[in-house]
Amino acid sequence: MNLAGLVFASVAAVTTFALDNGLMKTPPMGWLAWERFRCNIDCQNDPKNCISENLFIDMADRLFEDGWVELGYNFVNIDDCWSLKKRDQQGRLQPDPERFPGGIKHLSRYMHDRGLKLGIYADMGTYTCMGYPGTPLDKVEIDAQTFANWEVDMLKYDGCYSNATDQAMGYPLMSKALNATGRPIAYSCSWPAYQGGLPPKVNYTQLGEICNLWRNYGDIQDSWSSVLMIIDWVFENQDVLTPAAGPGRWNDPDMLIVGDFGLSMDQSRSQMALWAIMAAPLFMSNDLRTVSSEARSILQNKMVIRINQDELGIQGRRILKEKSNIEVFWRPLSNDYSALVFFSRRTDMPYHYQTSLSKLNYTAGFYKIHDVFTDETKVVNESTVLDVPVNPTGVVMFYVSAKLQIHHFSRGGKLLGAAFNPEENAAPRGFL
Ligand SMILES: *[C@@H]1O[C@H](CO)[C@@H](O)[C@H](O)[C@H]1NC(C)=O
Ligand SMILES: *[C@@H]1O[C@H](CO)[C@@H](O)[C@H](O)[C@H]1NC(C)=O
Ligand SMILES: *[C@@H]1O[C@H](CO)[C@@H](O)[C@H](O)[C@H]1NC(C)=O
Ligand SMILES: *[C@@H]1O[C@H](CO)[C@@H](O)[C@H](O)[C@H]1NC(C)=O
Ligand SMILES: *[C@@H]1O[C@H](CO)[C@@H](O)[C@H](O)[C@H]1NC(C)=O
């Protein structure tokens, strides 16, 4: 199939079903506690890093003051280990009063006052993964109502200590219960991750109807091998996963670990670029109080964010796997723009990959190419040889314009010159 055919097929697939709560028309962005702070509840010895309202307030302040919110990073999400081990006398979940003395509603107000949103965590089984009270079938309604009363904006519903039968009832039931509260609450389902992530056990049509995003695969860890495992799984299964995604319904390959300990800067650019190709939610799990300026510049790269947030919401694909261990990924964007990623699995030295737009099935014409990490721009035609130097475990990412409109100036049949019309070739609205 050519590129135009692929675009058409994907668009036809995404316009069919989506959870009707009006939320997450583009992939959500923000910060999520789990990968970096886990279940550290030791506020006596580690007050700055334990799961407590102070941690979420610190991160909210960083998002608000350090330029993250303007870029779209507006969720602050609590994960496991926020509650007491016992429900209250009315059977409601309650936050640990020592670690969350203000309560969850106080936190959501704090977020809302700063243009942020608050996410919370529950589990469809008898217990959460870390042994806190779960939200099994008979608790779905009361917990949904509690979260709405607390003015929470998003729920991650995990699946530890539940079985397939209960999950098949519980995940749709929670979707209904959230809707019934009347409060728009984005809904993240861990369901497919507990069922191997693939049909026939997983029904992506149904997931798109009941969830805004879903985890398909295991938890990310702070290592390059973990990122590689996720990339491998997603792109091996792209024929199943790509059509499942679209506005309001996203595959979630898990958190960004850029800014933590496990990735080099090249690997950090690789995670960011491939998460953008995948139209993935961008939830950072790092310490925004100490994140390095290099990591910050990767996470705050406007053009990568722009690609991730493209309004068509078409998830990209791997289009080439070369013997040289270079892989090429492509994502169609609105206004006939597109994104390309050249990724190296090599472990020797920067590799000069040679290609051209025609080799990548672009039709004949002139295009503007912007290298998103070096900011270099050039105009090429389909047969221009592109020499792309890709570092080991790194990427080069191009933002490619639509075909440029060209005006020819001629007199008496003689060609005098040609020029691009900047008006017609303007970038899509919101770009740069
Ligand atoms: C280009 O199109 C041809 C013919 O449809 C196809 O076989 C090939 O895989 C495509 N190449 C890329 C890089 O998409
Ligand atoms: C609940 O679902 C209905 C119908 O699908 C939809 O119109 C409405 O916006 C939803 N409300 C909320 C709060 O999600
Ligand atoms: C699934 O879990 C529920 C609740 O723990 C239990 O009642 C039910 O028997 C289980 N079903 C299967 C098929 O294991
Ligand atoms: C998947 O879910 C959709 C929508 O709920 C349903 O119409 C379809 O029959 C399901 N497919 C399978 C194979 O169960
Ligand atoms: C395409 O660009 C190359 C240089 O990159 C040039 O040699 C060639 O003439 C151009 N082709 C057309 C049709 O303009």
Side-chain angles (χ1 to χ4, degrees), residues 407-425:
H407 290 276
H408 294 281
F409 305 102
S410 51
R411 192 188 298 141
K414 191 164 170 255
L415 187 64
L416 297 178
F420 300 112
N421 179 340
E423 291 287 322
E424 285 170 354
N425 295 311

Side-chain angles (χ1 to χ4, degrees), residues 234-252:
V234 169
F235 291 103
E236 301 288 302
N237 296 297
Q238 61 183 357
D239 290 343
V240 169
L241 302 180
T242 302
R249 30 178 274 174
W250 310 104
N251 293 300
D252 180 5

Side-chain angles (χ1 to χ4, degrees), residues 198-261:
L198 296 173
K201 283 192 173 170
V202 175
N203 181 339
Y204 279 105
T205 309
Q206 183 190 16
L207 278 170
E209 290 169 353
I210 66 166
C211 313
N212 293 113
L213 60 154
W214 46 79
R215 287 280 311 286
N216 330 62
Y217 190 68
D219 286 0
I220 199 164
Q221 308 296 337
D222 192 4
S223 76
W224 176 239
S225 65
S226 173
V227 171
L228 262 187
M229 270 165 57
I230 293 170
I231 293 169
D232 285 343
W233 187 85
V234 169
F235 291 103
E236 301 288 302
N237 296 297
Q238 61 183 357
D239 290 343
V240 169
L241 302 180
T242 302
R249 30 178 274 174
W250 310 104
N251 293 300
D252 180 5
D254 213 1
M255 293 157 274
L256 292 168
I257 55 166
V258 176
D260 292 321
F261 309 98

Side-chain angles (χ1 to χ4, degrees), residues 8-20:
F8 181 77
S10 316
V11 171
V14 298
T15 48
T16 38
F17 306 100
L19 173 58
D20 195 12

